[in-house]
Amino acid sequence: MPLRFFNTYSRQLEDFEPRDATGRKIDIYTCGPTVYSRAHIGNFRAYIFEDLLQRHLELRGYKVRRVMNITDVDDKTIRGAREAGIPLTESTAQFKEAFFQDIETLRIKRADEFPAATDQRYIEKMIEMIATLISRGLAYQAEDKSVYFRINKFPNYGKLAHFDLTQLQSTGRVKHDEYDKEHIGDFALWKAWDEEDGDVGWESPWGRGRPGWHIECSAMATALLGDQIDIHCGGIDNIFPHHEAEIAQTEGVTGKKFVRYWLHCAHLLVDGQKMSKSLGNFYTLPNLLEKGYTGREIRYALMRVHYRAPLNFTWDGMNEARESLARIDDWLVRLRETAAGKIDKREIDMQPDQDFEEALDDDLNISAALGFLFEKIRETNRALDRNELDAASANAWLNWWERVNSVLVVEEAIAPLPPGIAKLAEARAQARLAKDWRKSDELRDELSARGWEARDTKDGQKVTRRAGG
Ligand code: AMP
Ligand code: ZN
């Protein structure tokens, strides 16, 4: 079965065909964090979905180039800095750093590029794009000195969100402080400087000001990936107006179709409502780490439901994630013990298959994929109970797991020792602390007799399976 994804643009499942002639290279653009506060785990649901997407595409042999922008200038970042009484760059720097720490904890693969909107070369690109839009009649400077996109001049406006624009039609000009615009739906490309902006601003042909949020993404995406890209992602709240605006601006400049596949993930909810800063119903990663959950447990909890289905955040859900990972850990210990043994058991015909990967081919159906994973765990555990899985089969399953884990990335960093071995290792570490060298040597022999090797390194004792043991 070919890979297929649900494209928000067509509202249909579509077979995936990259633009690249070799069919192997893919560009992905993902809207990144607005660094005005620490991201909450709702944001990370979106980033983990994107990580799953990239890793699965890579497992399927594609070469992925991914860009994730950092929004470090907009209304919220400016307000945040003003309220903290520090310069914008200082305020955003701390949240950028926190973001990079958090993605590492969650094992999210780093994008190839993390462009920041305030980088001079992107500001220049934004100004260039806005000038082109004005020259084509697609944008205008209003009395308030800000520049707006003229949505009536872009017939496809509303196609992504499947919006009926007549609902947005305004008769005549809207008299409102915020709206010096021709149409209520016209969005800002360039915002004229005002006092609240303080020292934040750039010179432009339209006077001092700053870019609107939407043009930032159009400029960074095309500057780094070109006029056309394969996949663009974000959470569903990004569809309108943000992504709709990105299409209008980019296609208004290039005249080419900007994005082939639009993928959006549903929200992380708390009691049926979107987890968000404004509702105050959010947790950050440090909040969950303080409660004793690990990065991989949080990763698993945020990943385990299909990206297009809303996911309710609950403590039960966190604990289920913990239990699921413990089952995987136990299973791996058993498989590794068996794989290291001799091939003297009765071999049964139970070899790994493609179910897991094929479920992900089908619009990243992680729920089905995990269903298959735990079904395999049950079956192989049963065979292990009956002594029916030999070393070669156990190895085949471990190789299968390597592929599965290249997408899930939930294995403990170091495979846990079997309980009996862990006990001996701990006793030996204690003996060494007490400088009881005789006991330490006895325990080393005991470990060795069971096929394990204890080595003393500058970082302490390391116990590994003995080669050929
Ligand atoms: P922001 O920093 O607000 O621009 O959001 C960054 C990303 O997180 C965007 O892709 C949003 O769509 C996404 N997002 C925000 N809240 C949630 C949530 N509760 N669940 C899933 N994704 C979210
Ligand atoms: Zn964006």
Side-chain angles (χ1 to χ4, degrees):
M1 188 177 68
L3 253 110
R4 52 180 201 159
F5 297 119
F6 184 86
N7 191 344
T8 307
Y9 202 86
S10 64
R11 295 281 197 279
Q12 275 176 358
L13 283 166
E14 294 178 11
D15 286 355
F16 179 66
E17 284 163 27
R19 285 168 34 255
D20 170 53
T22 67
R24 299 327 289 171
K25 282 199 237 145
I26 304 173
D27 295 325
I28 303 183
Y29 185 87
T30 49
C31 290
T34 306
V35 281
Y36 71 106
S37 66
R38 193 157 196 141
H40 57 69
I41 57 166
N43 301 130
F44 286 113
R45 181 185 193 203
Y47 306 142
I48 286 174
F49 139 67
E50 291 152 2
D51 188 55
L52 179 71
L53 171 67
Q54 172 166 9
R55 289 177 186 273
H56 182 60
L57 287 166
E58 287 173 348
L59 180 71
R60 284 310 199 193
Y62 292 102
K63 179 138 183 27
V64 177
R65 202 158 98 85
R66 186 160 68 89
V67 171
M68 177 182 262
N69 72 294
I70 308 274
T71 301
D72 60 354
V73 58
D74 77 328
D75 297 345
K76 288 187 275 190
T77 43
I78 291 176
R79 195 183 324 124
R82 200 177 55 237
E83 283 169 8
I86 51 175
L88 178 66
T89 44
E90 196 180 311
S91 169
T92 54
Q94 60 183 326
F95 298 119
K96 274 185 209 177
E97 196 186 314
F99 171 73
F100 287 118
Q101 265 172 23
D102 288 352
I103 59 171
E104 190 175 329
T105 306
L106 290 171
R107 306 177 177 192
I108 293 171
K109 194 167 188 163
R110 287 177 67 101
D112 298 276
E113 307 255 8
F114 289 101
T118 54
D119 188 325
Q120 189 56 32
R121 78 174 161 133
Y122 303 124
I123 295 279
E124 280 164 21
K125 173 97 187 176
M126 292 169 212
I127 291 174
E128 192 187 300
M129 289 181 87
I130 296 168
T132 306
L133 291 171
I134 292 178
S135 72
R136 300 209 172 134
L138 284 161
Y140 60 93
Q141 185 168 29
E143 278 165 30
D144 66 355
K145 298 279 179 273
S146 291
V147 179
Y148 295 95
F149 190 92
R150 186 175 270 135
I151 60 169
N152 276 338
K153 277 281 159 82
F154 189 77
N156 282 340
Y157 195 77
K159 284 262 169 70
L160 177 71
H162 294 228
F163 252 25
D164 176 5
L165 280 188
T166 53
Q167 290 175 353
L168 278 180
Q169 295 295 336
S170 58
T171 47
R173 286 173 70 101
V174 181
K175 281 284 170 219
H176 186 285
D177 284 350
E178 242 182 282
Y179 296 123
D180 262 337
K181 329 184 249 186
E182 294 174 3
H183 187 294
I184 193 168
D186 288 355
F187 55 87
L189 297 166
W190 188 259
K191 296 189 173 187
W193 183 90
D194 70 23
E195 272 167 31
E196 308 241 294
D197 293 347
D199 61 0
V200 179
W202 291 265
E203 298 308 324
S204 82
W206 317 287
R208 189 168 174 77
R210 60 185 167 95
W213 173 38
H214 314 314
I215 195 75
E216 295 179 4
C217 279
S218 286
M220 290 185 273
T222 51
L224 289 164
L225 297 173
D227 292 348
Q228 297 184 285
I229 57 182
D230 295 292
I231 303 178
H232 194 316
C233 308
I236 47 170
D237 56 311
N238 282 162
I239 298 173
F240 194 90
H242 186 51
H243 290 164
E244 193 74 63
E246 276 190 45
I247 295 174
Q249 299 160 151
T250 314
E251 298 188 0
V253 169
T254 67
K256 297 178 199 153
K257 190 168 174 64
F258 177 37
V259 171
R260 278 170 95 98
Y261 302 90
W262 284 97
L263 271 59
H264 292 100
C265 84
H267 284 145
L268 181 69
L269 308 177
V270 186
D271 298 328
Q273 281 190 298
K274 177 190 175 193
M275 179 178 286
S276 72
K277 274 267 135 74
S278 53
L279 290 172
N281 60 352
F282 64 92
Y283 292 100
T284 63
L285 199 55
N287 293 154
L288 296 194
L289 295 172
E290 273 160 25
K291 289 192 185 291
Y293 294 101
T294 60
R296 70 178 186 131
E297 287 168 345
I298 303 164
R299 176 180 172 86
Y300 185 90
L302 293 175
M303 185 171 58
R304 70 202 171 105
V305 168
H306 191 283
Y307 75 93
R308 284 194 289 122
L311 167 61
N312 218 9
F313 176 81
T314 61
W315 297 111
D316 281 349
M318 287 303 304
N319 293 332
E320 278 165 30
R322 172 168 286 180
E323 282 161 25
S324 300
L325 293 188
R327 269 170 71 197
I328 295 175
D329 293 347
D330 291 346
W331 174 66
L332 289 174
V333 169
R334 295 189 76 185
L335 277 183
R336 292 201 167 108
E337 278 178 342
T338 306
K342 294 199 180 68
I343 305 179
D344 59 358
K345 293 172 189 165
R346 186 162 64 87
E347 194 171 348
I348 60 162
D349 183 24
M350 204 177 72
Q351 290 295 326
D353 55 35
Q354 291 284 312
D355 290 353
F356 180 91
E357 292 173 31
E358 281 172 6
L360 291 181
D361 288 346
D362 185 15
D363 195 30
L364 293 184
N365 192 343
I366 186 77
S367 324
L370 291 173
F372 287 126
L373 168 63
F374 286 101
E375 191 180 301
K376 309 299 174 199
I377 290 181
R378 255 192 319 277
E379 286 171 9
T380 41
N381 272 337
R382 258 202 304 269
L384 287 163
D385 290 342
R386 291 195 299 256
N387 231 14
E388 284 181 348
L389 205 75
D390 76 348
S393 307
N395 258 312
W397 281 102
L398 285 169
N399 290 337
W400 178 80
W401 167 253
E402 289 295 316
R403 286 181 68 84
V404 170
N405 192 51
S406 73
V407 177
L408 299 182
V409 205
V410 292
E411 190 176 330
E412 274 203 310
I414 300 157
L417 296 172
I421 301 301
K423 232 176 172 165
L424 288 172
E426 176 56 26
R428 182 167 181 273
Q430 291 300 331
R432 290 185 67 75
L433 268 180
K435 300 202 185 325
D436 185 346
W437 309 121
R438 220 192 61 200
K439 182 140 187 231
S440 158
D441 285 348
E442 275 171 22
L443 286 163
R444 178 203 296 259
D445 292 344
E446 171 85 27
L447 281 164
S448 174
R450 295 189 188 203
W452 292 78
E453 182 182 13
R455 284 173 302 118
D456 301 306
T457 73
K458 64 173 176 23
D459 298 318
Q461 170 183 260
K462 293 266 185 295
V463 176
T464 49
R465 197 172 272 289
R466 212 148 38 86

